[in-house]
Amino acid sequence: KYGYKALLYLEYSFNGKYFPKGDAIHPEERLQTIRRDLLDLLFRESYLPQPHARAYGLNHSINGIRTSSHPYLRVLLLIDTNAFLDCLSIVLDDPLARFESTYSDSSIFEYGVGQNVALPHVTLPQLERKVNEILPDRQHLTRVLSSVIMP
């Protein structure tokens, strides 16, 4: 029941729409950061307990699929592999998406975000936002997905 809602949420978000109403996400920069945040979560290597569980001292043992590597990928693949891969293809096939290996502005990678480097007309918040809009490398995502599907 919740698994398909999660897949629907991913589909809406990756298509640039708010869930559940379907209104467009504005501004465009927010769409890129949402995509980055969701991909970071989906491809996280280990389970991250909910903050409220830690705050209240709930020390539930982690078991089941949560103990596996990439548990978020695994659970969504188990729910509906085709639907999940369709959701991922929305981002991976988007010609406007900016991925690490395909991004042309190499100055972001030459200079660390926290360094004091004089870049013409670029403020630190603008540089941080630009870095946060770049999605993980497609090849890396494919390798991780392949390792989960075919261990």
Side-chain angles (χ1 to χ4, degrees):
K1 166 176 158 176
Y2 294 116
Y4 281 101
K5 286 183 183 181
L7 289 170
L8 192 58
Y9 173 79
L10 288 174
E11 182 181 347
Y12 271 66
S13 298
F14 287 157
N15 276 317
K17 298 177 183 177
Y18 286 108
F19 181 79
K21 294 187 178 190
D23 299 332
I25 295 175
H26 293 292
E28 176 66 24
E29 293 85 24
R30 181 64 185 133
L31 172 60
Q32 295 304 323
T33 58
I34 287 171
R35 286 178 168 182
R36 174 70 189 220
D37 292 343
L38 288 173
L39 287 175
D40 286 346
L41 173 69
L42 293 172
F43 285 83
R44 182 171 289 155
E45 192 166 349
S46 60
Y47 171 71
L48 182 65
Q50 294 294 320
H52 70 274
R54 288 181 297 211
Y56 292 112
L58 300 175
N59 292 326
H60 294 273
S61 62
I62 297 173
N63 51 32
I65 202 163
R66 294 175 182 157
T67 60
S68 303
S69 67
H70 303 95
Y72 302 101
L73 281 178
R74 288 181 192 282
V75 74
L76 290 171
L77 286 166
L78 286 172
I79 292 167
D80 190 332
T81 303
N82 287 336
F84 180 61
L85 293 175
D86 286 344
C87 287
L88 285 180
S89 72
I90 294 167
V91 176
L92 296 174
D93 295 338
D94 184 356
L96 300 177
R98 297 176 293 254
F99 291 89
E100 283 179 3
S101 65
T102 57
Y103 197 75
S104 61
D105 187 0
S106 62
S107 65
I108 289 175
F109 301 107
E110 293 172 10
Y111 310 109
V113 173
Q115 295 177 350
N116 293 326
V117 177
L119 294 176
H121 312 291
V122 178
T123 65
L124 185 58
Q126 289 171 329
L127 186 59
E128 287 174 339
R129 189 169 47 252
K130 213 171 188 183
V131 168
N132 289 335
E133 292 174 6
I134 299 171
L135 301 172
D137 178 43
R138 282 184 179 123
Q139 188 62 42
H140 168 72
L141 298 176
T142 304
R143 272 193 302 270
V144 170
L145 193 56
S146 175
S147 72
V148 170
I149 293 172
M150 301 179 318

